[in-house]
Amino acid sequence: MSTEETESGSVGFNKRRAEGRDKNDRPKTLQLKARKLNPVNTICYVQILGTGMDTQDTSSSVLLFFDKQRFIFNAGEGLQRFCTEHKIKLSKIDHIFLSRVCSETAGGLPGLLLTLAGMGDEGMSVNIWGPSDLKYLVDAMRSFIPNAAMVHTRSFGQALGSDGAPIPDLREFSDPIVLIDDEVVKISAILLRPSCLKGSQIVTEEPNMLYPSEVGIEGRRDHLQEPILPHSAGEDSKAGAMVKPGDISVIYVCELPEIKGKFDPQKAVALGLKAGPKYRELQLGKSVVSDRKNIMVHPSDVMGPSIPGPLVLLVDCPTESYLQDLLSVESLSSYYAGSSSNPPESAKTVNCVIHLSPASVVRAPNYQVWMKRFGAAQHIMAGHEMKNVEIPILKSSARIAARLNYLCPRFFPAPGFWSLRHLNHSIPELIASSEGSVTKLCESVAAENLLKFHLRPYAQLGLDRSGIPSLSSPSEIIDDLVSEIPEVVDAAQEVGQFWNGFGEAKGEITPMHDDKVMIEEPWLNWNTLPGCLENITREDMEIVLLGTGSSQPSKYRNVTSIYINLFSKGSLLLDCGEGTLGQLKRRFSVEGADNAVRGLRCIWISHIHADHHAGLARILTLRRDLLKGVPHEPLLVIGPRQLKRYLDAYQKLEDLDMQFLDCRHTTEVSLNAFECSFETNKEHSSPEGPVSFEDVNNRNTVELMNQNIDSSLFAKGSRMQSYWKRPGSPVDHSVAFPILKNLKKVLCEAGLEALISFPVVHCPQAFGVVLKASERINSVGKVIPGWKIVYSGDTRPCPELIEAARGATVLIHEATFEEGMVDEAIARNHSTTNEAIEVGNSAGAYRIILTHFSQRYPKIPVFDDAHMHKTCIAFDLMSVNMADLPVLPKVLPYLKLLFRNEMTVDELDDVISAGLAS
C-alpha cells in the first residue's frame, strides 16, 4: 500500500486508492461454486422471502431450496440484509431469476454481486437469469461493478435460431424456454407482454441465449428483430403490444422429476431374477434378462406406479394490461385441470402457484377465473398485502428501534408501521366485474414471511407455517428491556427532562439562561447556542439518518442515506444507498414515504461506490410513477460524473425522470463563476425581459469555468490537486448552465441559500457537501442567519473538509473505524471516530453527528467519552430536529446504557468481511 503523509503533521491517506489504483480494487476472476447434484433429494421446498412485505417498496423474493442447490426468484432491494437477518447464506445461492427487469425486482442485485465478489480471496459469482431486457441492467451496472461479477448473466427470449438465423415461424416463441434441465429440476420460462398498444417490436441482442453458454453479455450488439406475435395464433393476434425494455414479464415453471415407484423384490423373484446388481439396474429404469427364465424383465414389471413430480408456477402479471396475454398463453394449457385440450397422458398437476402480481390485478374477475383453471393447486398471494405492513421483516432492527424510541422518542420517533396495528385488513370474498356479475374469489392463502410449501419428501407435500416469525409488539420488547436493564425506566424519565430547560411556547426555543438540568455536563457551560437557532421552530429542518452503516447492509444498520426534511418546503437526499426507500417507509409509513418522495427537491450523491447510490433508481422510478399525470419538473440529481454513465445506461431500461448535474459544477468556484456571469449578463440585458440562456452561455463564462473547475478544487500546490486531474470523460460545461439555473430556482423554493460540493480524499471524484439555509426575519424584524449543514461523504480528514465545515451548525462526518484502527482507516481512506471529532473541533462546528460505521460494530460503535462533548453517534431512523440540537450530546451516555451489554463486537459471522468498495 502506498500512503502519503502531508505537511504539518496532517493525517496520511492511501494515495493509490485516492487515484483509483488500489490493488484491492483490481478485478478478480470470479468462479461459480461447483456443486455435486443429489438427484434423490430428501428435502425440497419453496419459501417466501418477505423482502418488501412490510414496506411495499420492492418485490418479494422466493427461494427454491434443494439439498445441494438454491435458486432465488427476484432480488429486490433489501434481499442481502434479509438474508443476513434470517441466516440464509448468500454463498449457497446458485441461480437468481428475475420475473421482470426493473428496480422493483432487481434493486438488490448490484450490492449482492459486489458482496459475493468480495467473499474470500478469490471471490464468488452467481448465475443470473432474466428476459432480454437484462442486457440494459448489466450495461448500466458495468459502470461500477467489475465485469467478472457479471460473466454469468444469461438473458433469454430472443427470436433467434441456434445458428443466429431468425426462426421461420415466430409463433414458436410462445413455447416455454427451457433454462435448466438436470436430474434435480427443470425450470422453464414463459414470456408475457402488455397488450394495450398496436404493433409489436422488441429489442434483442445476439448471440442467441435461449440455451445460454457460459459466456457473458459483453460484446453483444442491439438490433431490432421482426415483430413477435402474441401467444394466441391467427390474424387477429398480430395486433399485439409495443414492447419496450422493461415491459417483458416472466412466468417461471419449476418441475421436479417424478418419484419412482417402490421396487417389489417378490415380483422380481417370480420373474426368475436373483438378488444382485440387476435389481439396481431395474430401479434405474433399465431392462434386464431373467436369470432363470428366457425373458426380458422390464422396470414396469417390478416397480410400483410412479408419482408425478411436484410442479410450481411463479406468476408475475404486473398490471391488467398483461392479462390478455396471460389468459391466451397456449403453453400453459397443459397445466390446467380438466382441460379438453389436455389429454390425460400429458396432464401435469400443478401443486402450487405463487402469485407475485399485485392485489389490484389478482382480484380482477378475469384473473380469478384463470386461477381456478389450476384445480386444487395451492395459491399463495405474494403481492403486496396490507396485512403484512404491520409485521416488520427485519425484527432485529425493529427491536432496536423500539428500545431507542422508549428511551428518547424525540430523537427516535415510533416507526411508521406502528400506526397501522389493529386495522381491518380483511379481503372481500366476492368481487364484481364491469358487466355487473359477481365472482367468488378463488381460494388462496396470503403469503407470510418465511412461509414454506414442501415439495419433498412427498409425505410432507403442502404448506408449512412453522418458520413464520412471531409478531413481537412494542410493549413486549419494552418489557424485555426493563427486565434486562431496570435502570432504563429512570433513564427515560431523565432524558425527557432535558427538554424542560427550553421554552417551547408555540414550538419555539430560545437561548438558555438556566443550566440547572445540565450542571453535570460541564461542556455545556461554554457551548453557547448559535445565532441561527434563535427562535427556530420545529417546522424548520430535520435530519433523518436513514442508513448509518458502511459497505453493505447488516441486521442493525442499513447503508448510507440522509434525508433532509424541510417540511412544507420539500426535502433532499444526501446519498441514497440500497434500501433507502424501505427506510423512508419504516420511518414515515408507506403513505408518508410516498409523500416524502413526491416532495424531493434534489438528490446529492457523494461518490460512485454502490453503498452510496444503489437505491437511486428505485427512488426515481417511484417518484416518476407517483407524479404521472401531474405537472412536474424532472428531479435534479447531483453526483460524480461516473454516476451519469450509470444513469444514462439505466434509462434505456426505465425512465428515471431526472436531470443530472456534475458535482464539479457545484463547487464554490464553479458556482461563483456562474453567478458572476449571470449577474453580468443580467445587467446588460433589457430591464423588462428575462435573462436568456444564450446570454449566460457565452464563451467567456465557459472558458472561466473550464479554467477554474479543475485547478481550484484542492488548495493550489497540494498533493491531492494532481490526483484530481486524472483522465476522464470530457465534460460539456455549456450543458451545465440551464441545470445550474434550475438548481438556483430549486434551492430558492426550498429556503436554501446554497448547495456547495467540495472534494474529499477517498477515491477519484469523491465529494462532501455544504447546505446553507437562507436568512430569516423573526417577529420583531431581527435578521437571523441561516443554519449550515456539512456532510463529509467518505473521506480521510483533509483541509478542504475543515474549511468547508467552518462554523457549521451540524457536521455529519463518517467514522468508519474506532480510534485503534488508524492503519485500516488510512488503507481504506476513511476516518476514525476521534479524527472525525477533531475535524469538527478544528472547524468550530456546533454539533457533530458520527455515521457510516463499519459493520464490525453491529449495534453501537466504540468511542472515547472524553471527546464527545458536542457529538452524538447516529442510529438508523434517528431524527434530529434543529430545535433539539442543544440537547443532542446529552443523550449519548444514555444510549451507552441501553447497549451496555452489547458494546463488544459481535455477529461477525453474520457480516461478511467483503472487499466491497465503501
Side-chain angles (χ1 to χ4, degrees):
M1 180 185 70
S2 171
T3 61
E4 293 235 347
E5 290 288 337
T6 55
E7 297 83 357
S8 65
S10 298
V11 296
F13 59 89
N14 183 342
K15 172 184 173 182
R16 295 183 65 88
R17 186 167 178 82
E19 295 176 324
R21 299 187 295 113
D22 189 19
K23 65 180 180 181
N24 293 328
D25 296 332
R26 291 174 186 167
K28 304 174 183 176
T29 303
L30 306 177
Q31 300 296 323
L32 290 172
K33 193 148 189 174
R35 304 189 197 280
K36 185 177 180 180
L37 299 183
N38 178 16
V40 189
N41 283 281
T42 55
I43 299 175
C44 175
Y45 56 80
V46 286
Q47 185 173 33
I48 304 297
L49 306 184
T51 53
M53 276 189 170
D54 57 342
T55 52
Q56 302 196 351
D57 64 309
T58 191
S59 171
S60 291
S61 296
V62 178
L63 171 69
L64 176 57
F65 178 97
F66 292 92
D67 291 348
K68 300 292 185 181
Q69 278 187 302
R70 312 282 193 277
F71 304 85
I72 282 184
F73 296 85
N74 286 346
E77 289 190 14
L79 175 62
Q80 187 178 177
R81 191 178 186 195
F82 178 93
C83 290
T84 301
E85 169 89 5
H86 297 286
K87 300 188 184 304
I88 298 170
K89 293 187 179 298
L90 297 173
S91 59
K92 298 289 187 182
I93 305 301
D94 299 286
H95 299 266
I96 296 175
F97 297 87
L98 301 180
S99 63
R100 282 175 289 134
V101 185
C102 60
S103 62
E104 186 181 0
T105 60
L109 211 49
L112 189 65
L113 289 174
L114 285 168
T115 295
L116 289 171
M119 285 184 175
D121 294 332
E122 297 301 323
M124 295 181 61
S125 186
V126 65
N127 294 291
I128 302 169
W129 301 81
S132 53
D133 326 59
L134 181 60
K135 175 202 184 311
Y136 299 98
L137 178 62
V138 171
D139 285 347
M141 291 192 299
R142 197 171 280 124
S143 63
F144 62 95
I145 293 179
N147 188 58
M150 298 181 289
V151 163
H152 305 288
T153 51
R154 304 156 170 216
S155 61
F156 53 82
Q158 297 85 320
L160 294 173
S162 58
D163 58 355
I167 296 173
D169 184 358
L170 291 176
R171 280 172 292 187
E172 292 182 16
F173 187 79
S174 64
D175 294 336
I177 304 168
V178 178
L179 308 177
I180 292 176
D181 190 2
D182 55 32
E183 61 266 43
V184 172
V185 66
K186 176 181 177 181
I187 298 179
S188 307
I190 299 172
L191 303 185
L192 295 180
R193 299 179 292 280
S195 52
C196 53
L197 299 172
K198 299 294 182 182
S200 182
Q201 175 178 292
I202 185 166
V203 178
T204 65
E205 73 261 16
E206 54 185 313
N208 168 52
M209 296 295 283
L210 294 179
Y211 301 97
S213 65
E214 290 294 325
V215 299
I217 290 179
E218 181 74 51
R220 295 180 218 158
R221 291 180 171 83
D222 298 341
H223 66 280
L224 291 177
Q225 183 57 42
E226 292 293 317
I228 294 175
L229 299 181
H231 295 290
S232 54
E235 290 300 316
D236 294 340
S237 68
K238 292 182 181 178
M242 176 69 72
V243 180
K244 60 182 186 296
D247 274 351
I248 302 173
S249 187
V250 183
I251 298 173
Y252 286 106
V253 182
C254 306
E255 301 179 65
L256 274 64
E258 66 178 10
I259 301 173
K260 300 293 183 181
K262 190 174 180 180
F263 178 77
D264 189 337
Q266 292 182 349
K267 289 183 178 180
V269 171
L271 291 170
L273 284 172
K274 298 178 182 178
K278 291 184 179 180
Y279 280 18
R280 177 64 177 166
E281 294 290 311
L282 287 165
Q283 292 178 60
L284 292 175
K286 300 177 182 178
S287 298
V288 298
V289 177
S290 172
D291 296 313
R292 297 189 176 95
K293 298 182 180 181
N294 189 23
I295 59 173
M296 289 293 294
V297 181
H298 304 288
S300 58
D301 297 330
V302 294
M303 303 289 292
S306 296
I307 301 172
L311 201 154
V312 177
L313 264 62
L314 289 95
V315 182
D316 188 355
C317 183
T319 67
E320 290 194 41
S321 64
Y322 291 78
L323 264 177
Q324 177 183 331
D325 212 22
L326 178 66
L327 297 173
S328 60
V329 175
E330 294 178 2
S331 54
L332 281 176
S333 60
S334 61
Y335 303 107
Y336 297 147
S339 171
S340 58
S341 62
N342 189 7
E345 62 272 12
S346 65
K348 297 179 179 180
T349 302
V350 176
N351 300 92
C352 178
V353 183
I354 299 175
H355 300 266
L356 301 172
S357 315
S360 60
V361 173
V362 300
R363 289 173 194 163
N366 285 346
Y367 196 98
Q368 288 292 312
V369 170
W370 177 78
M371 287 173 61
K372 293 175 183 177
R373 294 182 184 179
F374 294 99
Q378 176 68 70
H379 293 277
I380 300 176
M381 316 311 289
H384 294 319
E385 300 281 349
M386 282 304 296
K387 71 181 289 293
N388 288 317
V389 171
E390 63 185 46
I391 307 171
I393 62 164
L394 301 174
K395 290 185 66 175
S396 298
S397 61
R399 174 177 168 270
I400 295 291
R403 292 161 71 106
L404 289 167
N405 170 258
Y406 174 79
L407 180 67
C408 184
R410 282 290 183 98
F411 289 137
F412 304 98
F417 59 80
W418 285 7
S419 62
L420 298 169
R421 297 188 182 280
H422 312 304
L423 294 182
N424 181 13
H425 300 308
S426 61
I427 300 174
E429 293 186 4
L430 301 175
I431 53 174
S433 68
S434 57
E435 293 81 15
S437 60
V438 176
T439 304
K440 182 177 175 61
L441 284 176
C442 181
E443 187 174 340
S444 63
V445 299
E448 296 178 76
N449 187 24
L450 300 183
L451 173 70
K452 289 181 182 178
F453 188 92
H454 281 285
L455 304 172
R456 294 272 199 270
Y458 186 77
Q460 296 181 10
L461 185 72
L463 292 172
D464 178 2
R465 300 178 181 274
S466 62
I468 297 175
S470 59
L471 174 61
S472 299
S473 67
S475 59
E476 292 172 330
I477 295 172
I478 300 311
D479 288 344
D480 291 343
L481 172 62
V482 172
S483 174
E484 177 190 341
I485 309 174
E487 306 95 301
V488 78
V489 177
D490 292 336
Q493 293 178 351
E494 291 175 21
V495 169
Q497 292 297 315
F498 292 159
W499 278 265
N500 291 346
F502 302 99
E504 293 199 30
K506 299 181 181 179
E508 297 181 349
I509 67 171
T510 55
M512 293 179 50
H513 303 291
D514 183 4
D515 284 345
K516 289 181 181 177
V517 179
M518 305 186 189
I519 196 70
E520 297 178 3
E521 317 299 343
W523 59 80
L524 288 171
N525 294 330
W526 58 264
N527 207 0
T528 56
L529 194 71
C532 65
L533 297 185
E534 185 176 340
N535 302 121
I536 201 165
T537 72
R538 303 194 67 81
E539 298 298 312
D540 193 77
M541 194 275 283
E542 176 185 52
I543 302 169
V544 182
L545 287 303
L546 296 174
T548 58
S550 69
S551 184
Q552 62 197 65
S554 73
K555 285 169 65 172
Y556 303 103
R557 294 184 184 272
N558 202 52
V559 286
T560 303
S561 183
I562 302 168
Y563 178 70
I564 305 297
N565 188 3
L566 302 172
F567 297 95
S568 62
K569 295 180 180 179
S571 58
L572 294 85
L573 274 174
L574 308 181
D575 279 335
C576 189
E578 177 189 336
T580 291
L581 178 57
Q583 292 293 87
L584 274 173
K585 296 200 174 193
R586 291 183 180 95
R587 170 62 181 86
F588 295 109
S589 80
V590 172
E591 183 179 350
D594 286 350
N595 292 331
V597 172
R598 285 189 190 96
L600 280 172
R601 300 282 188 179
C602 171
I603 300 178
W604 181 90
I605 304 297
S606 62
H607 61 290
I608 195 61
H609 288 160
D611 58 325
H612 291 258
H613 73 79
L616 188 55
R618 188 74 195 99
I619 291 283
L620 292 173
T621 53
L622 176 63
R623 179 183 180 271
R624 175 204 66 199
D625 294 341
L626 292 173
L627 295 177
K628 192 169 291 183
V630 179
H632 68 279
E633 295 290 329
L635 186 63
L636 186 60
V637 175
I638 303 173
R641 64 174 178 263
Q642 305 103 310
L643 183 65
K644 185 178 188 300
R645 291 199 290 271
Y646 164 66
L647 295 173
D648 286 347
Y650 191 93
Q651 289 208 106
K652 296 178 182 177
L653 179 65
E654 290 187 279
D655 175 26
L656 297 179
D657 192 20
M658 48 75 64
Q659 60 177 181
F660 183 83
L661 183 62
D662 193 323
C663 278
R664 295 187 301 167
H665 290 122
T666 60
T667 60
E668 189 167 21
V669 170
S670 178
L671 291 173
N672 287 341
F674 168 75
E675 286 291 341
C676 178
S677 175
F678 187 84
E679 293 300 325
T680 300
N681 285 283
K682 191 174 180 181
E683 292 173 2
H684 291 87
S685 63
S686 168
E688 293 81 11
V691 180
S692 68
F693 165 64
E694 287 75 14
D695 291 331
V696 176
N697 185 18
N698 59 62
R699 177 179 296 181
N700 292 337
T701 305
V702 171
E703 287 180 355
L704 177 62
M705 291 185 67
N706 286 344
Q707 291 169 8
N708 287 309
I709 282 181
D710 291 328
S711 64
S712 58
L713 288 169
F714 289 92
K716 188 174 182 181
S718 73
R719 288 189 170 108
M720 280 308 300
Q721 186 182 35
S722 62
Y723 305 153
W724 179 265
K725 296 168 130 182
R726 291 184 53 74
S729 57
V731 177
D732 184 357
H733 300 294
S734 64
V735 174
F737 281 94
I739 305 177
L740 283 168
K741 193 174 179 181
N742 183 40
L743 172 62
K744 186 179 177 73
K745 171 176 167 285
V746 165
L747 294 178
C748 182
E749 292 172 349
L752 298 176
E753 178 184 301
L755 181 154
I756 303 170
S757 302
F758 56 91
V760 293
V761 181
H762 180 58
C763 66
Q765 304 288 316
F767 292 87
V769 68
V770 178
L771 291 179
K772 291 181 181 178
S774 302
E775 294 179 338
R776 53 194 170 90
I777 301 175
N778 67 8
S779 56
V780 297
K782 180 181 177 181
V783 176
I784 298 175
W787 44 259
K788 175 180 176 180
I789 294 177
V790 177
Y791 168 48
S792 69
D794 285 7
T795 186
R796 290 291 294 147
C798 59
E800 290 75 22
L801 173 56
I802 295 174
E803 187 58 35
R806 191 79 63 194
T809 316
V810 181
L811 169 62
I812 305 171
H813 200 300
E814 72 116 296
T816 309
F817 296 103
E818 62 184 279
E819 185 52 31
M821 301 185 70
V822 175
D823 290 344
E824 288 85 349
I826 292 174
R828 305 295 294 176
N829 278 347
H830 284 298
S831 300
T832 66
T833 51
N834 281 15
E835 287 175 333
I837 293 168
E838 288 169 6
V839 168
N841 289 337
S842 299
Y846 174 63
R847 290 289 179 258
I848 306 167
I849 299 176
L850 303 183
T851 187
H852 195 267
F853 302 111
S854 167
Q855 302 293 17
R856 71 180 59 242
Y857 316 113
K859 295 176 185 175
I860 189 168
V862 178
F863 56 88
D864 184 353
D865 291 343
H867 301 282
M868 305 296 284
H869 54 270
K870 58 181 179 181
T871 304
C872 194
I873 58 175
F875 292 85
D876 279 17
L877 308 185
M878 182 178 183
S879 302
V880 181
N881 194 290
M882 290 296 279
D884 296 330
L885 285 179
V887 301
L888 181 62
K890 297 199 67 179
V891 176
L892 188 57
Y894 297 89
L895 295 177
K896 288 191 67 173
L897 169 67
L898 196 64
F899 295 97
R900 71 178 185 187
N901 300 328
E902 307 171 78
M903 290 290 286
T904 57
V905 176
D906 65 354
E907 300 178 29
L908 281 179
D909 55 340
D910 286 345
V911 180
I912 305 158
S913 299
L916 172 61
S918 56

